[in-house]
Amino acid sequence: MKEDFYEILGVSKGASEAEIKKAYRKKAIEYHPDKNPGDSTAEERFKKAAEAYEVLSDPDKRARYDQFGHAAFENGGGAGSMNMDDIFSQFGDIFGSAFGGGFGGFGGFGSSGGRRVKGTNLRIQITLTLDEIAEGVEKKVKVKRKVQAEGVTYKSCSSCNGTGQVTKITNTILGRMQTAAPCTACGGAGQILDQKPAGADAQGLVSKEETVSIQIPGGVEDGMQLKVSGKGNAAPGDGIAGDLIVSIKETQHPSLKREGDNLHYDLRISFAEAVLGASKEIDAVGGKVRIKVDKGTQSGKVLRLRGKGVKSLNGYGKGDLLVHVMVWTPQKLSAEQEAFFEETLNDKNFMPDPKADDKSTFDRIRDMFS
């Protein structure tokens, strides 16, 4: 079982953004690879801290984590796929100053020594039916993304000597102050374009349509976002590709209403069916199902079909299908039917039970002939 993100950083669930950032910086410096060379345990803790910070520093991801736990990010949902390149690219500025602006050539750098930049993210929206959401589904979509052109080459940036950063020394009343900033010539990549093939842009990239397979877990909700790592735009040089952010849109079912993992269905039956009982076919995810309505069923009764709802995003089974019985009172009767009901007005078997919660059906019948 994965560790709790709050426990990894050593903060409470009510911690502020500043407290979370401070806690992460402390952990990152403690377990940084430059301070713990060859220590696989420290490296693993370093990655876990970055993974926790990636989620808890983002308000949307944090809200999903608080609600669904780690299950919110299963199947490419936005956490758990970070490597050293991701960490140094996204969060290096948080603890970089503690190491003099550099990381000793560890995995966060390209061959020239500059920090590996990350390509931009792409965003798409996928529309899902309730049937698809109930069980989970694999979707294949065509995405137009930028990739490095065939034959493109890069060389070390002369402005920063391939470090990706430029250092500036300023004299102050407190002494000499050294600051580092990303190199503007190469954008912090440490590399610049050497040979650009025809049709490539200024970064040596070209647009290409690609089919991407997206595994969507059961139980997702409208507005949720999933992340497919590395399927965004490519970066120049030795950079890493951005991510594909998938926004979920849920279409409304014509007869089923969703409430969390449970589904609701309104079943209208006739007065005769309520009295005599009936077998009714109703809508459910995956197809029709048949249910039994017992004799004497009252309007407002709820029938529960266990496990016929939506798969839980937390992985705790499925919700239920709740069938709400609604007895329809006829407004037009034949003479024979009216005579029958007139005879039953004083029949105790047709009188409402004073202890029953719902007497509306019998009240309506009485009002029809009062």
Side-chain angles (χ1 to χ4, degrees), residues 74 86 92 104 148 175 226 254 353 364:
E74 291 178 352
D86 294 326
Q148 290 189 9
L226 308 178
D353 183 353
R364 288 197 299 270

Side-chain angles (χ1 to χ4, degrees), residues 110-181:
S111 57
S112 60
R115 183 184 300 177
R116 294 179 67 183
V117 297
K118 186 173 183 178
T120 55
N121 292 339
L122 294 176
R123 295 181 179 273
I124 63 171
Q125 184 180 79
I126 291 183
T127 300
L128 302 175
T129 65
L130 184 57
D131 283 355
E132 291 172 327
I133 288 175
E135 294 292 338
V137 65
E138 180 183 13
K139 286 285 187 178
K140 292 184 178 181
V141 297
K142 290 185 177 181
V143 177
K144 199 169 187 179
R145 55 190 295 260
K146 287 188 175 183
V147 298
Q148 290 189 9
E150 187 175 349
V152 66
T153 59
Y154 300 88
K155 61 183 179 181
S156 180
C157 175
S158 58
S159 298
C160 62
N161 295 320
T163 63
Q165 292 185 330
V166 291
T167 302
K168 183 179 179 180
I169 299 177
T170 306
N171 291 319
T172 70
I173 59 174
L174 299 177
R176 302 179 69 189
M177 178 176 294
Q178 178 177 309
T179 58

Side-chain angles (χ1 to χ4, degrees), residues 117-357:
V117 297
K118 186 173 183 178
T120 55
N121 292 339
L122 294 176
R123 295 181 179 273
I124 63 171
Q125 184 180 79
I126 291 183
T127 300
L128 302 175
T129 65
L130 184 57
D131 283 355
E132 291 172 327
I133 288 175
E135 294 292 338
V137 65
E138 180 183 13
K139 286 285 187 178
K140 292 184 178 181
V141 297
K142 290 185 177 181
V143 177
K144 199 169 187 179
R145 55 190 295 260
K146 287 188 175 183
V147 298
Q148 290 189 9
E150 187 175 349
V152 66
T153 59
Y154 300 88
K155 61 183 179 181
S156 180
C157 175
S158 58
S159 298
C160 62
N161 295 320
T163 63
Q165 292 185 330
V166 291
T167 302
K168 183 179 179 180
I169 299 177
T170 306
N171 291 319
T172 70
I173 59 174
L174 299 177
R176 302 179 69 189
M177 178 176 294
Q178 178 177 309
T179 58
C183 175
T184 56
C186 63
Q191 295 178 313
I192 58 174
L193 193 63
D194 181 23
Q195 294 185 5
K196 185 180 81 168
D201 63 15
Q203 294 183 314
L205 306 177
V206 294
S207 293
K208 179 183 178 182
E209 189 174 73
E210 181 179 334
T211 300
V212 179
S213 179
I214 304 171
Q215 192 67 43
I216 300 174
V220 294
E221 296 183 9
D222 188 80
M224 277 189 173
Q225 291 185 343
L226 308 178
K227 183 181 80 172
V228 184
S229 299
K231 290 302 180 180
N233 288 323
D238 291 332
I240 54 178
D243 303 320
L244 177 63
I245 308 300
V246 182
S247 178
I248 301 298
K249 181 175 177 59
E250 180 179 346
T251 59
Q252 188 173 358
H253 193 278
S255 60
L256 295 173
K257 304 296 181 184
R258 182 182 178 187
E259 184 181 31
D261 296 337
N262 291 331
L263 298 176
H264 297 266
Y265 180 88
D266 290 337
L267 174 62
R268 292 172 174 81
I269 62 174
S270 68
F271 178 69
E273 289 173 322
V275 173
L276 301 175
S279 176
K280 305 291 288 186
E281 188 176 70
I282 65 170
D283 292 331
V285 290
K288 301 280 188 179
V289 296
R290 184 165 290 278
I291 64 171
K292 180 184 178 183
V293 179
D294 292 332
K295 292 181 179 180
T297 294
Q298 303 297 314
S299 186
K301 184 178 179 62
V302 179
L303 307 177
R304 182 184 296 269
L305 302 183
R306 298 191 181 277
K308 292 295 183 179
V310 176
K311 183 179 289 186
S312 172
L313 191 61
N314 286 315
Y316 300 134
K318 294 182 179 180
D320 302 328
L321 173 57
L322 304 175
V323 182
H324 301 264
V325 178
M326 304 171 65
V327 179
W328 180 79
T329 304
Q331 296 177 325
K332 294 182 179 180
L333 298 173
S334 65
E336 183 180 3
Q337 291 170 331
E338 286 192 15
F340 169 78
F341 281 109
E342 285 176 351
E343 292 178 3
T344 64
L345 282 177
N346 296 317
D347 190 330
K348 64 179 181 180
N349 291 324
F350 282 84
M351 294 298 291
D353 183 353
K355 297 180 181 180
D357 294 331

Side-chain angles (χ1 to χ4, degrees), residues 2-11 17 19-21 23-25 27-28 44-59 61-63 65-66 70 73 78-82 87 90-91 94:
K2 297 189 68 173
E3 294 181 61
D4 181 82
F5 285 154
Y6 291 100
E7 292 180 359
I8 290 175
L9 296 184
V11 296
E17 292 183 18
E19 290 173 329
I20 290 174
K21 185 174 182 179
Y24 169 58
R25 187 177 189 276
K27 294 289 184 182
E44 185 63 26
R45 290 177 178 174
F46 183 73
K47 290 180 179 179
K48 286 183 177 181
E51 180 185 352
Y53 180 71
E54 181 194 23
V55 172
L56 300 184
S57 62
D58 184 306
K61 290 182 180 179
R62 184 178 180 180
Y65 177 75
D66 288 344
H70 292 293
F73 308 106
S81 58
M82 296 191 74
I87 297 170
Q90 295 182 42
F91 311 131
I94 293 178

